[in-house]
Amino acid sequence: MYCPHCGQQQVTSEVRFCSRCGFPLKVVSEVLATGGALPLRRDEAQAGDKISPRQRGIRQGVMLMMSAMLLVPLVIFVGVMILDAPIELIPLTGVLCVVGGLMRLLYALFFESNAPLSAIHNYLEPYVPPVAPTQLRRPEHEAQKLPPPRSVPVSTYVPPRVNTSEIAPPSSVTDHTTRLLKDEADSETR
């Protein structure tokens, strides 16, 4: 196997990183093993989920409503009695927890799917990137999908060439000084 980033040949196909550039090669070896198709990847947390999004939403809503039984006494004892917070904080905490939990529960019931996440992910097709036909060993009749070549070029514009013989060499600083010295020497000899 060769590294797709730098072209370094690897000693074995079980190498996880390129020895020259450090490019991760685990996915490359998986793609080679599946014949060019990218394997389907799921989050490790979602891989073991057997419950549906609706069931998860119902659980979250119920837990949020149940948290009111813990948060309201906590706000009473810590917030109001110890930290001298305003007393209006007690009903506000209870209402937010109960109403928020009820809204989450209703959202789950009306808008979320009842199919388990594992069943939803099984319907997904693995992504196959577009690659050259020779890499996937497609038949030759499928490989010839390009349009026929054009006999007339798309553009006939050719930028003009610069005639380098017209460019004068830059004058030297010493040329001017030497000329001045010659003029002084000529004026002294007269």
Side-chain angles (χ1 to χ4, degrees), residues 11 14 50 56 62 64 67 78 103 112 120 128 135 160 167 169 174 186:
V11 178
E14 291 133 12
K50 301 290 185 211
R56 177 181 290 140
V62 169
L64 191 56
S67 69
V78 174
M103 295 299 288
E112 291 184 333
I120 293 171
V128 178
Q135 291 178 350
I167 299 175
T174 57
D186 288 339

Side-chain angles (χ1 to χ4, degrees), residues 60-73 93 97-98:
Q60 288 174 349
V62 169
M63 290 302 289
L64 191 56
M65 286 193 291
M66 299 288 283
S67 69
M69 292 191 306
L70 175 70
L71 288 177
V72 170
T93 304
C97 289
V98 172

Side-chain angles (χ1 to χ4, degrees), residues 12-179:
T12 65
S13 61
E14 291 133 12
V15 176
R16 291 177 30 185
F17 295 97
C18 176
S19 59
R20 181 187 291 171
C21 67
F23 187 79
L25 296 173
K26 182 178 181 191
V27 176
V28 175
S29 62
E30 290 176 5
V31 168
L32 289 173
T34 59
L38 287 177
L40 180 64
R41 295 202 171 262
R42 291 185 270 174
D43 282 338
E44 300 302 323
Q46 292 179 352
D49 285 345
K50 301 290 185 211
I51 64 171
S52 68
R54 180 179 294 171
Q55 290 171 337
R56 177 181 290 140
I58 291 171
R59 287 181 186 181
Q60 288 174 349
V62 169
M63 290 302 289
L64 191 56
M65 286 193 291
M66 299 288 283
S67 69
M69 292 191 306
L70 175 70
L71 288 177
V72 170
L74 189 68
V75 167
I76 291 172
F77 292 119
V78 174
V80 175
M81 293 184 161
I82 298 174
L83 299 175
D84 293 327
I87 202 161
E88 292 84 18
L89 195 62
I90 299 168
L92 181 68
T93 304
V95 168
L96 283 178
C97 289
V98 172
V99 171
L102 184 64
M103 295 299 288
R104 176 65 180 117
L105 188 108
L106 291 175
Y107 180 82
L109 285 174
F110 289 120
F111 297 113
E112 291 184 333
S113 171
N114 201 18
L117 282 177
S118 59
I120 293 171
H121 287 295
N122 287 339
Y123 290 120
L124 297 177
E125 296 283 328
Y127 172 73
V128 178
V131 293
T134 57
Q135 291 178 350
L136 291 179
R137 295 174 182 83
R138 291 185 183 160
E140 288 297 320
H141 68 279
E142 288 185 19
Q144 300 299 328
K145 300 278 181 165
L146 294 176
R150 297 179 182 212
S151 60
V152 179
V154 175
S155 174
T156 58
Y157 174 74
V158 178
R161 292 190 53 151
V162 177
N163 188 358
T164 56
S165 64
E166 295 176 359
I167 299 175
S171 61
S172 172
V173 176
T174 57
D175 290 343
H176 180 66
T177 309
T178 307
R179 233 180 284 130

